[in-house]
Amino acid sequence: MGWNNLLFYRWIAFNLVGAALLLVFSAQGLVAPVFQSDSSRLTYVIAALFIYGMVLCGYRVLKTSREINAVKEGGRGKLRDFIELSAHSDRESVKEAFEIKLLARIAFVKYIATSLVTLGLLGTVIGFILVLTQVPANAVGDSSQVGKLVAVLTNGMGVALYTTLVGAVTNLWLNANYTMLRTGVINLIAAILESAEPEAAA
């Protein structure tokens, strides 16, 4: 890989830092309780969806990085048709069409990132439902029911707070990756247009 693969290297570096921070928090015992306190298991669903989104994003980052390399090195490959079209047609219209096409293929990453925070908020609702449906009607004012009431409240609030936390953190993380990927796609479009300049001039 040449130096033009800076997009992919940046993506790797950013996520290595994120993974290192996660390991530090895990070593401090701050990660396991988040999953153990969620009786709904929604945090596992959020984590699985996040991992899937990261794999998909990584694949797109690598592919975009290689396409930037190919354009800058003159080996246009699958992008040859677009380069020739932009050299002999209305460049602005072609640019807009190709930008829509390239951004559409990474839109699913953004959708997953949005879904993560939505699932977190869903966990909040589920947590409050657990509290409201499991609190015994005779628990209020009955000192013998205090222990059961506290257990129900702890369980429900654990689901509500931890799913929201996991959804928000994974959303921020994946959104940062999407922003990096989108920047790469914009750079790819710019590289394609630059490579078409000599042909347009000719």
Side-chain angles (χ1 to χ4, degrees), residues 1-10 65-66 68-73 187 191 194:
M1 291 185 175
W3 65 270
N4 286 329
N5 270 308
L6 290 178
L7 171 64
F8 184 66
Y9 294 146
R10 281 197 300 266
S65 188
R66 286 177 173 173
I68 292 173
N69 278 359
V71 172
K72 288 188 175 181
E73 293 169 4
N187 290 338
E194 286 175 10

Side-chain angles (χ1 to χ4, degrees), residues 1-195:
M1 291 185 175
W3 65 270
N4 286 329
N5 270 308
L6 290 178
L7 171 64
F8 184 66
Y9 294 146
R10 281 197 300 266
W11 184 82
I12 290 290
F14 175 79
N15 288 292
L16 282 177
V17 172
L21 289 174
L22 187 62
L23 287 174
V24 170
F25 288 134
S26 180
Q28 296 293 323
L30 300 175
V31 175
V34 171
F35 293 92
Q36 294 168 356
S37 299
D38 176 21
S39 61
S40 71
R41 300 294 180 244
L42 194 57
T43 49
Y44 290 96
V45 175
I46 295 172
L49 186 60
F50 168 72
I51 292 171
Y52 173 70
M54 288 294 291
V55 171
L56 181 62
C57 185
Y59 168 74
R60 287 300 180 187
V61 165
L62 180 59
K63 187 170 183 178
T64 301
S65 188
R66 286 177 173 173
E67 288 173 343
I68 292 173
N69 278 359
V71 172
K72 288 188 175 181
E73 293 169 4
R76 299 163 187 168
K78 296 179 180 179
L79 301 173
R80 180 183 297 275
D81 291 341
F82 173 75
I83 293 172
E84 293 176 353
L85 183 62
S86 70
H88 301 97
S89 306
D90 178 10
R91 291 170 58 78
E92 193 59 33
S93 298
V94 174
K95 174 181 176 292
E96 288 178 7
F98 197 63
E99 185 172 345
I100 291 172
K101 178 181 178 181
L102 288 180
L103 291 177
R105 74 182 188 182
I106 66 172
F108 196 57
V109 177
K110 180 68 174 178
Y111 174 76
I112 292 175
T114 304
S115 298
L116 293 172
V117 74
T118 303
L119 287 172
L121 294 175
L122 177 62
T124 303
V125 175
I126 291 173
F128 284 114
I129 289 174
L130 289 175
V131 172
L132 295 174
T133 57
Q134 293 182 13
V135 173
N138 61 347
V140 180
D142 187 353
S143 59
S144 64
Q145 296 287 330
V146 170
K148 186 174 184 179
L149 181 60
V150 170
V152 170
L153 289 172
T154 302
N155 178 52
M157 293 307 294
V159 172
L161 296 177
Y162 285 132
T163 53
T164 304
L165 175 64
V166 173
V169 171
T170 53
N171 169 263
L172 289 173
W173 193 341
L174 190 55
N175 254 326
N177 280 270
Y178 171 78
T179 300
M180 194 179 302
L181 174 58
R182 191 177 188 281
T183 301
V185 169
I186 298 300
N187 290 338
L188 172 60
I189 294 170
I192 291 171
L193 293 175
E194 286 175 10
S195 70

